[in-house]
Amino acid sequence: MMNVSKRHVYFIEGGDNVGKTTTIQNLKQNKYIESIRFNRVRFSKYPTNDATNTINKLNTLYKENEVRYKNQEVKESEYVRTKRSILESLINTMICDMISSFDTLYNEKYVLTYPDDVLEICDRGFLSTYLYQYRDMPGVQKLILNIDTELEYLKAFINKYLPPTMNDINVIILNNNANPLLANIIMDDTETIEYKKDFDNNIELQTRVNNSLNNIVRLIQQDKVYDLLPIKFYYINIFNETGSIRKSPDEICEEIKAIINKEE
């Protein structure tokens, strides 16, 4: 029988400018790699370069459809049908792009001394696809949601789009708990990926995304995400308890390490 090695996957998620990429770069230091309980560590970033061109092309079609509808060049039924088709293609492209995180490792070259030794840390993952694409799908509410409706939408997305897996799938949300009177997030104006720039400049979209992230954090706090098993959800506040001082990358990495190592 061929050896099987299960991946332990941790998707690092959060709103824009919460420090996901910086945190993951910091995690690559030997002091963290050597103190993590797994023998093999892999880092991934989604979407990959292989998928970016396709995503940009689909996003261009999406914008063209919006303009045509705004200019009354197409009927609403055609607009909705086209929008649904483009978003389905975007979602499927993004999930296929991260399929290796859901695949069980059967290749013996990955199997070391222990069967459960493979850790994968990912910069974004399926939760971003839910937040940016699925929540924009025709028939899905665009309004600010309560937490119970958010949970139902998230369950529907996971059941429809995520592939079955034997892997240990986890999501860690870097939560912006800043006190708006005391602290601000510094915006990144260096984004070069076209579809990502569109998202960054869309205030309405960012408001919706942040509301959904706040809802999911509240679901975690209320122990309601057990409905999403076998996927486990965690969050880490990026500011201190008063929301006035931003934590250092090392402080956040120590909290991520504790989650991975299952430290109490």
Side-chain angles (χ1 to χ4, degrees):
M1 180 180 294
M2 186 177 295
N3 288 327
V4 176
S5 185
K6 180 171 66 175
R7 289 185 200 267
H8 299 265
V9 182
Y10 287 79
F11 294 106
I12 309 299
E13 293 276 12
D16 286 335
N17 305 297
V18 295
K20 295 180 294 296
T21 300
T22 300
T23 297
I24 290 171
Q25 288 300 318
N26 206 54
L27 276 171
K28 294 179 181 179
Q29 296 180 71
N30 285 339
K31 65 179 179 179
Y32 295 116
I33 297 296
E34 292 173 357
S35 60
I36 286 173
R37 65 190 176 101
F38 298 103
N39 297 314
R40 185 182 181 92
V41 181
R42 169 183 170 178
F43 291 89
S44 302
K45 182 177 176 64
Y46 297 123
T48 66
N49 291 333
D50 292 340
T52 298
N53 285 339
T54 299
I55 293 170
N56 282 336
K57 290 176 181 177
L58 287 168
N59 191 57
T60 297
L61 294 176
Y62 177 95
K63 290 189 292 183
E64 290 174 351
N65 187 51
E66 295 292 319
V67 170
R68 291 176 67 200
Y69 181 62
K70 182 179 180 180
N71 294 338
Q72 299 182 331
E73 297 173 14
V74 294
K75 294 180 179 179
E76 183 173 2
S77 58
E78 180 182 346
Y79 160 74
V80 170
R81 183 167 59 252
T82 301
K83 180 175 182 176
R84 182 182 299 278
S85 175
I86 293 169
L87 287 172
E88 287 281 359
S89 295
L90 276 167
I91 292 172
N92 288 326
T93 296
M94 291 176 171
I95 298 301
C96 286
D97 186 48
M98 62 186 78
I99 198 66
S100 64
S101 296
F102 294 92
D103 282 346
T104 303
L105 298 172
Y106 292 98
N107 193 324
E108 293 198 23
K109 71 179 181 179
Y110 290 109
V111 181
L112 303 181
T113 306
Y114 306 100
D116 278 355
D117 62 352
V118 182
L119 169 68
E120 183 172 7
I121 298 174
C122 307
D123 186 344
R124 291 196 182 274
F126 70 87
L127 185 60
S128 288
T129 307
Y130 164 79
L131 294 169
Y132 288 96
Q133 281 76 43
Y134 181 78
R135 281 292 317 279
D136 195 32
M137 188 72 74
V140 176
Q141 290 185 44
K142 306 301 181 292
L143 303 176
I144 302 301
L145 302 180
N146 60 50
I147 64 171
D148 292 326
T149 303
E150 192 81 60
L151 180 59
E152 291 306 311
Y153 277 144
L154 189 53
K155 286 167 61 177
F157 169 81
I158 288 171
N159 291 335
K160 181 174 182 179
Y161 293 104
L162 296 196
T165 181
M166 296 174 59
N167 290 345
D168 172 32
I169 304 296
N170 305 268
V171 175
I172 300 177
I173 296 171
L174 300 188
N175 181 47
N176 177 13
N177 65 313
N179 184 329
L181 299 178
L182 300 174
N184 293 305
I185 291 289
I186 298 174
M187 301 302 289
D188 179 11
D189 60 2
T190 63
E191 185 60 63
T192 58
I193 300 176
E194 283 302 317
Y195 80 89
K196 189 64 172 61
K197 285 194 292 186
D198 290 335
F199 293 152
D200 291 345
N201 295 327
N202 189 329
I203 301 301
E204 182 180 346
L205 171 61
Q206 291 302 324
T207 300
R208 191 187 74 206
V209 166
N210 289 329
N211 168 251
S212 287
L213 286 167
N214 289 338
N215 281 342
I216 296 169
V217 168
R218 289 173 63 198
L219 287 167
I220 297 169
Q221 293 170 338
Q222 296 179 22
D223 291 327
K224 289 188 175 182
V225 287
Y226 65 85
D227 286 336
L228 300 176
L229 294 175
I231 299 172
K232 294 178 282 294
F233 285 77
Y234 306 89
Y235 75 93
I236 293 172
N237 289 330
I238 65 171
F239 284 83
N240 65 355
E241 291 183 0
T242 63
S244 60
I245 300 174
R246 186 154 183 172
K247 295 176 182 176
S248 70
D250 278 334
E251 288 177 303
I252 293 174
C253 285
E254 286 294 336
E255 292 188 53
I256 290 174
K257 185 185 76 173
I259 291 172
I260 292 173
N261 287 344
K262 309 299 182 187
E263 297 173 4
E264 296 299 330

Coordinates of all heavy atoms in Angstrom, one line a residue, residues 51-117:
A51 N -2.4 31.6 -12.1 CA -3.8 31.9 -12.2 C -4.1 33.4 -12.4 O -5.2 33.8 -12.8 CB -4.5 31.5 -10.9
T52 N -3.1 34.3 -12.2 CA -3.3 35.7 -12.2 C -3.8 36.2 -13.5 O -4.8 37.0 -13.6 CB -2.1 36.5 -11.8 OG1 -1.7 36.1 -10.4 CG2 -2.3 38.0 -11.8
N53 N -3.3 35.8 -14.6 CA -3.7 36.2 -16.0 C -5.1 35.9 -16.2 O -5.9 36.7 -16.7 CB -2.8 35.7 -17.1 CG -1.4 36.3 -17.1 OD1 -1.3 37.5 -16.6 ND2 -0.5 35.7 -17.7
T54 N -5.5 34.7 -15.9 CA -6.9 34.3 -16.1 C -7.9 35.1 -15.2 O -8.9 35.5 -15.7 CB -7.1 32.8 -15.8 OG1 -6.3 32.0 -16.6 CG2 -8.5 32.3 -15.9
I55 N -7.5 35.3 -14.0 CA -8.3 36.1 -13.1 C -8.4 37.6 -13.6 O -9.5 38.1 -13.6 CB -7.7 36.1 -11.7 CG1 -7.8 34.7 -11.1 CG2 -8.4 37.1 -10.8 CD1 -7.0 34.5 -9.8
N56 N -7.3 38.1 -14.1 CA -7.4 39.5 -14.6 C -8.3 39.6 -15.8 O -9.1 40.5 -16.0 CB -6.0 40.0 -15.0 CG -5.2 40.4 -13.8 OD1 -5.7 40.8 -12.7 ND2 -3.9 40.4 -13.9
K57 N -8.3 38.6 -16.7 CA -9.1 38.6 -17.9 C -10.6 38.5 -17.5 O -11.5 39.2 -18.1 CB -8.7 37.4 -18.8 CG -7.4 37.6 -19.5 CD -7.0 36.4 -20.3 CE -5.6 36.6 -21.0 NZ -5.2 35.4 -21.8
L58 N -10.9 37.6 -16.5 CA -12.3 37.4 -16.1 C -12.8 38.7 -15.4 O -13.9 39.1 -15.5 CB -12.4 36.2 -15.1 CG -12.3 34.9 -15.8 CD1 -12.1 33.8 -14.7 CD2 -13.5 34.6 -16.6
N59 N -11.9 39.3 -14.6 CA -12.3 40.6 -14.0 C -12.5 41.7 -15.0 O -13.4 42.5 -14.8 CB -11.2 41.0 -13.0 CG -11.6 42.2 -12.1 OD1 -12.6 42.0 -11.4 ND2 -10.9 43.3 -12.2
T60 N -11.8 41.7 -16.1 CA -12.1 42.7 -17.2 C -13.5 42.4 -17.8 O -14.2 43.4 -18.0 CB -11.0 42.6 -18.3 OG1 -9.7 42.9 -17.7 CG2 -11.3 43.5 -19.4
L61 N -13.8 41.2 -18.0 CA -15.1 40.8 -18.5 C -16.2 41.2 -17.5 O -17.3 41.7 -17.9 CB -15.2 39.3 -18.8 CG -14.4 38.8 -19.9 CD1 -14.5 37.3 -20.0 CD2 -14.8 39.4 -21.2
Y62 N -15.9 41.1 -16.2 CA -16.9 41.5 -15.2 C -17.1 43.0 -15.2 O -18.3 43.4 -15.2 CB -16.3 41.1 -13.8 CG -17.1 41.5 -12.6 CD1 -18.0 40.6 -12.1 CD2 -17.0 42.8 -12.1 CE1 -18.8 41.0 -11.0 CE2 -17.8 43.2 -11.0 CZ -18.7 42.3 -10.5 OH -19.4 42.6 -9.4
K63 N -16.1 43.8 -15.3 CA -16.2 45.2 -15.4 C -16.9 45.6 -16.6 O -17.8 46.6 -16.6 CB -14.8 45.9 -15.3 CG -14.2 45.8 -14.0 CD -12.9 46.6 -13.9 CE -11.8 46.1 -14.8 NZ -10.6 46.9 -14.6
E64 N -16.7 45.0 -17.8 CA -17.4 45.3 -19.0 C -18.8 45.1 -18.9 O -19.7 45.9 -19.4 CB -16.8 44.5 -20.2 CG -15.3 45.0 -20.5 CD -14.7 44.1 -21.6 OE1 -15.3 43.0 -21.9 OE2 -13.6 44.4 -22.1
N65 N -19.2 44.0 -18.2 CA -20.6 43.6 -18.0 C -21.3 44.7 -17.2 O -22.5 45.1 -17.4 CB -20.7 42.2 -17.4 CG -22.2 41.8 -17.4 OD1 -22.9 41.8 -18.3 ND2 -22.6 41.3 -16.2
E66 N -20.6 45.1 -16.1 CA -21.2 46.2 -15.3 C -21.4 47.5 -16.0 O -22.4 48.1 -15.9 CB -20.2 46.4 -14.1 CG -20.0 45.2 -13.1 CD -21.3 44.9 -12.3 OE1 -22.0 45.9 -11.9 OE2 -21.6 43.8 -12.2
V67 N -20.5 47.8 -16.9 CA -20.6 49.1 -17.6 C -21.7 49.0 -18.6 O -22.5 49.9 -18.8 CB -19.3 49.4 -18.4 CG1 -19.5 50.6 -19.3 CG2 -18.2 49.8 -17.4
R68 N -21.8 47.9 -19.3 CA -22.9 47.7 -20.3 C -24.3 47.8 -19.6 O -25.2 48.3 -20.2 CB -22.7 46.3 -21.0 CG -21.5 46.3 -21.9 CD -21.4 44.9 -22.5 NE -22.5 44.6 -23.4 CZ -22.9 43.4 -23.8 NH1 -22.2 42.3 -23.2 NH2 -23.9 43.2 -24.6
Y69 N -24.4 47.2 -18.4 CA -25.7 47.2 -17.7 C -26.0 48.7 -17.2 O -27.1 49.1 -17.4 CB -25.6 46.3 -16.5 CG -26.9 46.3 -15.7 CD1 -28.1 45.9 -16.3 CD2 -26.9 46.7 -14.4 CE1 -29.3 45.8 -15.6 CE2 -28.1 46.6 -13.6 CZ -29.3 46.2 -14.2 OH -30.4 46.2 -13.5
K70 N -24.9 49.3 -16.7 CA -25.1 50.7 -16.3 C -25.6 51.6 -17.4 O -26.4 52.5 -17.2 CB -23.8 51.2 -15.7 CG -23.9 52.6 -15.1 CD -22.6 53.1 -14.5 CE -22.7 54.5 -13.9 NZ -21.4 54.9 -13.3
N71 N -25.0 51.4 -18.6 CA -25.4 52.2 -19.8 C -26.6 51.7 -20.5 O -27.0 52.1 -21.6 CB -24.2 52.2 -20.8 CG -23.0 52.9 -20.3 OD1 -23.1 53.7 -19.3 ND2 -21.8 52.6 -20.8
Q72 N -27.3 50.7 -19.9 CA -28.6 50.1 -20.4 C -28.4 49.5 -21.8 O -29.3 49.6 -22.7 CB -29.6 51.2 -20.5 CG -30.0 51.8 -19.1 CD -31.1 52.8 -19.1 OE1 -31.3 53.5 -20.1 NE2 -31.8 52.9 -18.0
E73 N -27.2 48.9 -22.0 CA -26.9 48.2 -23.3 C -27.4 46.8 -23.3 O -27.4 46.1 -24.3 CB -25.4 48.3 -23.6 CG -24.9 49.7 -23.8 CD -23.4 49.7 -23.9 OE1 -22.8 48.7 -24.1 OE2 -22.8 50.8 -23.8
V74 N -27.7 46.2 -22.1 CA -28.2 44.8 -22.0 C -29.3 44.8 -21.0 O -29.5 45.6 -20.1 CB -27.0 43.9 -21.5 CG1 -25.9 43.8 -22.5 CG2 -26.5 44.4 -20.1
K75 N -30.2 43.8 -21.2 CA -31.3 43.6 -20.3 C -30.8 43.1 -19.0 O -29.7 42.4 -18.9 CB -32.3 42.6 -20.9 CG -33.0 43.1 -22.2 CD -34.0 42.1 -22.7 CE -34.7 42.6 -23.9 NZ -35.7 41.6 -24.5
E76 N -31.6 43.3 -17.9 CA -31.2 42.8 -16.6 C -31.0 41.3 -16.6 O -30.0 40.8 -16.0 CB -32.2 43.2 -15.6 CG -31.8 42.8 -14.1 CD -32.7 43.4 -13.1 OE1 -33.7 44.0 -13.5 OE2 -32.5 43.1 -11.9
S77 N -31.8 40.5 -17.3 CA -31.7 39.1 -17.2 C -30.4 38.6 -17.9 O -29.7 37.7 -17.3 CB -32.8 38.4 -18.0 OG -32.9 38.9 -19.3
E78 N -29.9 39.3 -18.9 CA -28.7 39.0 -19.6 C -27.5 39.4 -18.7 O -26.5 38.7 -18.5 CB -28.6 39.6 -20.9 CG -27.2 39.3 -21.6 CD -27.1 40.0 -23.0 OE1 -28.1 40.5 -23.5 OE2 -26.0 40.1 -23.5
Y79 N -27.6 40.5 -18.1 CA -26.6 41.0 -17.2 C -26.4 40.1 -16.0 O -25.3 39.7 -15.7 CB -27.0 42.4 -16.6 CG -26.3 42.8 -15.4 CD1 -25.0 43.2 -15.4 CD2 -27.0 42.8 -14.1 CE1 -24.3 43.6 -14.2 CE2 -26.4 43.2 -13.0 CZ -25.0 43.5 -13.0 OH -24.4 43.9 -11.8
V80 N -27.5 39.6 -15.4 CA -27.4 38.7 -14.2 C -26.8 37.4 -14.7 O -25.9 36.8 -14.0 CB -28.8 38.5 -13.6 CG1 -28.8 37.4 -12.6 CG2 -29.3 39.8 -13.0
R81 N -27.2 36.9 -15.8 CA -26.7 35.6 -16.3 C -25.2 35.7 -16.6 O -24.5 34.8 -16.2 CB -27.5 35.2 -17.6 CG -27.1 33.8 -18.1 CD -28.1 33.4 -19.2 NE -28.1 34.3 -20.3 CZ -29.2 35.1 -20.6 NH1 -30.2 35.1 -19.8 NH2 -29.2 35.9 -21.6
T82 N -24.8 36.8 -17.2 CA -23.4 36.9 -17.5 C -22.5 37.1 -16.2 O -21.5 36.5 -16.1 CB -23.2 38.2 -18.4 OG1 -23.9 38.0 -19.6 CG2 -21.7 38.4 -18.7
K83 N -23.1 37.9 -15.3 CA -22.4 38.1 -14.0 C -22.2 36.8 -13.3 O -21.1 36.5 -12.8 CB -23.1 39.1 -13.1 CG -22.5 39.4 -11.8 CD -23.2 40.4 -11.0 CE -22.6 40.8 -9.7 NZ -23.2 41.9 -9.0
R84 N -23.3 36.0 -13.2 CA -23.2 34.7 -12.5 C -22.1 33.8 -13.2 O -21.3 33.1 -12.5 CB -24.5 34.0 -12.5 CG -24.6 32.6 -11.8 CD -25.9 32.0 -11.9 NE -27.0 32.8 -11.3 CZ -27.2 32.9 -10.0 NH1 -26.5 32.1 -9.1 NH2 -28.2 33.6 -9.5
S85 N -22.1 33.7 -14.5 CA -21.2 32.9 -15.2 C -19.7 33.3 -15.0 O -18.9 32.5 -14.8 CB -21.5 33.0 -16.8 OG -20.5 32.3 -17.5
I86 N -19.5 34.6 -15.0 CA -18.1 35.1 -14.7 C -17.7 34.8 -13.3 O -16.6 34.4 -13.1 CB -18.1 36.6 -15.0 CG1 -18.3 36.9 -16.5 CG2 -16.7 37.2 -14.6 CD1 -18.4 38.4 -16.8
L87 N -18.6 35.0 -12.3 CA -18.2 34.8 -11.0 C -18.0 33.3 -10.7 O -17.1 32.9 -10.0 CB -19.3 35.3 -10.0 CG -19.3 36.8 -9.9 CD1 -20.5 37.3 -9.1 CD2 -18.0 37.3 -9.2
E88 N -18.8 32.4 -11.3 CA -18.6 31.0 -11.2 C -17.2 30.6 -11.8 O -16.5 29.8 -11.2 CB -19.7 30.2 -12.0 CG -21.0 30.2 -11.3 CD -21.2 29.2 -10.2 OE1 -20.2 28.5 -9.9 OE2 -22.2 29.1 -9.6
S89 N -16.8 31.2 -12.9 CA -15.5 30.9 -13.5 C -14.4 31.4 -12.6 O -13.4 30.8 -12.4 CB -15.4 31.6 -14.9 OG -16.3 31.0 -15.8
L90 N -14.6 32.6 -12.0 CA -13.6 33.1 -11.0 C -13.4 32.2 -9.8 O -12.3 31.9 -9.4 CB -14.0 34.5 -10.6 CG -13.6 35.7 -11.5 CD1 -14.3 37.0 -11.1 CD2 -12.1 35.9 -11.5
I91 N -14.5 31.8 -9.2 CA -14.5 30.9 -8.1 C -13.8 29.6 -8.4 O -12.9 29.2 -7.7 CB -15.9 30.7 -7.5 CG1 -16.5 32.0 -6.9 CG2 -15.9 29.6 -6.4 CD1 -17.9 31.9 -6.5
N92 N -14.2 29.0 -9.5 CA -13.6 27.7 -9.9 C -12.1 27.9 -10.2 O -11.3 27.0 -9.9 CB -14.4 27.1 -11.1 CG -15.8 26.6 -10.7 OD1 -16.0 26.1 -9.6 ND2 -16.7 26.8 -11.6
T93 N -11.8 29.0 -10.8 CA -10.3 29.2 -11.1 C -9.5 29.3 -9.9 O -8.5 28.7 -9.7 CB -10.2 30.5 -12.0 OG1 -10.8 30.3 -13.2 CG2 -8.7 30.8 -12.2
M94 N -10.1 30.1 -8.9 CA -9.3 30.3 -7.6 C -9.2 29.0 -6.8 O -8.2 28.7 -6.2 CB -10.0 31.4 -6.9 CG -9.8 32.8 -7.5 SD -10.6 34.1 -6.7 CE -10.0 35.5 -7.6
I95 N -10.3 28.2 -6.7 CA -10.3 27.0 -6.0 C -9.4 26.0 -6.6 O -8.6 25.3 -5.9 CB -11.7 26.4 -5.8 CG1 -12.6 27.4 -5.0 CG2 -11.6 25.1 -5.1 CD1 -12.1 27.8 -3.6
C96 N -9.4 25.9 -7.9 CA -8.5 25.0 -8.6 C -7.1 25.4 -8.4 O -6.2 24.6 -8.4 CB -8.8 24.9 -10.1 SG -10.3 24.0 -10.5
D97 N -6.8 26.7 -8.4 CA -5.5 27.2 -8.2 C -4.9 26.8 -6.8 O -3.7 26.6 -6.7 CB -5.5 28.7 -8.3 CG -4.1 29.4 -8.2 OD1 -3.2 28.9 -8.9 OD2 -3.9 30.3 -7.5
M98 N -5.7 26.6 -5.8 CA -5.3 26.2 -4.5 C -5.5 24.7 -4.2 O -5.5 24.2 -3.0 CB -5.9 27.0 -3.4 CG -7.4 27.0 -3.3 SD -8.1 28.2 -2.1 CE -8.0 29.7 -3.1
I99 N -5.8 23.9 -5.3 CA -6.2 22.5 -5.1 C -5.1 21.7 -4.4 O -5.5 20.7 -3.6 CB -6.6 21.9 -6.4 CG1 -7.4 20.6 -6.2 CG2 -5.3 21.6 -7.3 CD1 -8.8 20.8 -5.6
S100 N -3.9 22.0 -4.5 CA -2.8 21.3 -3.9 C -2.9 21.3 -2.4 O -2.5 20.4 -1.7 CB -1.4 21.7 -4.3 OG -1.2 23.1 -3.9
S101 N -3.5 22.4 -1.8 CA -3.7 22.5 -0.4 C -4.7 21.5 0.1 O -4.7 21.2 1.3 CB -4.1 23.9 0.0 OG -3.0 24.8 -0.3
F102 N -5.6 21.0 -0.7 CA -6.6 20.1 -0.3 C -6.3 18.6 -0.7 O -6.9 17.7 -0.2 CB -8.0 20.5 -1.0 CG -8.5 21.8 -0.5 CD1 -8.2 22.9 -1.2 CD2 -9.3 21.8 0.6 CE1 -8.7 24.2 -0.8 CE2 -9.8 23.0 1.0 CZ -9.5 24.2 0.4
D103 N -5.3 18.5 -1.6 CA -4.9 17.1 -2.0 C -4.2 16.4 -0.9 O -3.3 17.0 -0.3 CB -4.0 17.2 -3.3 CG -4.8 17.4 -4.5 OD1 -6.1 17.2 -4.5 OD2 -4.2 17.7 -5.6
T104 N -4.5 15.2 -0.7 CA -3.7 14.4 0.3 C -2.4 13.9 -0.4 O -2.4 13.7 -1.6 CB -4.5 13.1 0.7 OG1 -5.7 13.6 1.3 CG2 -3.7 12.3 1.7
L105 N -1.3 13.9 0.3 CA 0.0 13.6 -0.3 C 0.2 12.1 -0.4 O 0.3 11.4 0.6 CB 1.1 14.2 0.5 CG 1.1 15.7 0.6 CD1 2.1 16.2 1.6 CD2 1.3 16.3 -0.8
Y106 N 0.2 11.5 -1.6 CA 0.4 10.1 -1.8 C 1.8 9.8 -2.3 O 2.3 8.7 -2.3 CB -0.6 9.5 -2.8 CG -2.0 9.5 -2.3 CD1 -2.9 10.5 -2.6 CD2 -2.4 8.5 -1.4 CE1 -4.2 10.5 -2.1 CE2 -3.7 8.5 -0.9 CZ -4.6 9.5 -1.3 OH -5.9 9.4 -0.8
N107 N 2.5 10.9 -2.7 CA 3.8 10.7 -3.3 C 4.9 10.4 -2.1 O 5.0 11.2 -1.2 CB 4.3 12.0 -4.0 CG 5.5 11.8 -4.9 OD1 6.4 11.0 -4.5 ND2 5.5 12.4 -6.0
E108 N 5.5 9.3 -2.2 CA 6.4 8.9 -1.1 C 7.6 9.8 -0.9 O 8.1 9.8 0.2 CB 6.9 7.5 -1.4 CG 5.8 6.4 -1.4 CD 6.4 5.0 -1.2 OE1 7.5 4.9 -0.7 OE2 5.7 4.1 -1.6
K109 N 7.9 10.7 -1.8 CA 9.1 11.6 -1.6 C 8.7 12.6 -0.5 O 9.6 13.2 0.1 CB 9.5 12.3 -2.8 CG 8.5 13.3 -3.3 CD 9.1 14.0 -4.6 CE 8.1 15.1 -5.1 NZ 8.7 15.7 -6.3
Y110 N 7.4 12.8 -0.2 CA 7.0 13.8 0.8 C 6.9 13.1 2.2 O 6.7 13.8 3.2 CB 5.7 14.4 0.4 CG 5.7 15.3 -0.7 CD1 5.1 15.0 -2.0 CD2 6.3 16.6 -0.6 CE1 5.2 15.8 -3.0 CE2 6.4 17.4 -1.7 CZ 5.8 17.1 -2.9 OH 5.9 17.9 -4.0
V111 N 6.9 11.8 2.2 CA 6.6 11.1 3.5 C 7.9 10.9 4.2 O 8.8 10.2 3.7 CB 5.9 9.8 3.2 CG1 5.6 9.1 4.6 CG2 4.6 10.0 2.5
L112 N 8.1 11.5 5.4 CA 9.3 11.4 6.1 C 9.1 10.3 7.2 O 8.4 9.3 7.0 CB 9.7 12.7 6.7 CG 9.9 13.8 5.6 CD1 10.3 15.1 6.3 CD2 10.9 13.4 4.6
T113 N 9.7 10.5 8.4 CA 9.6 9.5 9.4 C 8.2 9.4 10.0 O 7.8 8.3 10.3 CB 10.5 9.9 10.6 OG1 11.9 10.1 10.1 CG2 10.6 8.9 11.7
Y114 N 7.5 10.5 10.0 CA 6.1 10.4 10.6 C 5.1 10.7 9.6 O 5.3 11.4 8.6 CB 6.0 11.5 11.7 CG 7.1 11.4 12.8 CD1 8.2 12.2 12.7 CD2 7.0 10.5 13.8 CE1 9.2 12.1 13.7 CE2 8.0 10.4 14.8 CZ 9.1 11.2 14.7 OH 10.1 11.1 15.7
P115 N 3.9 10.1 9.7 CA 2.9 10.2 8.7 C 2.2 11.6 8.6 O 1.8 12.0 7.6 CB 1.8 9.2 9.0 CG 2.0 9.0 10.5 CD 3.5 9.2 10.7
D116 N 2.3 12.3 9.7 CA 1.6 13.6 9.8 C 2.6 14.7 9.9 O 2.6 15.5 10.9 CB 0.6 13.7 10.9 CG -0.7 13.0 10.6 OD1 -0.9 12.7 9.4 OD2 -1.6 12.9 11.5
D117 N 3.5 14.9 9.0 CA 4.6 15.8 9.2 C 4.6 17.0 8.2 O 5.6 17.7 8.2 CB 6.0 15.1 9.0 CG 6.2 14.5 7.6 OD1 5.2 14.5 6.9 OD2 7.2 14.0 7.3

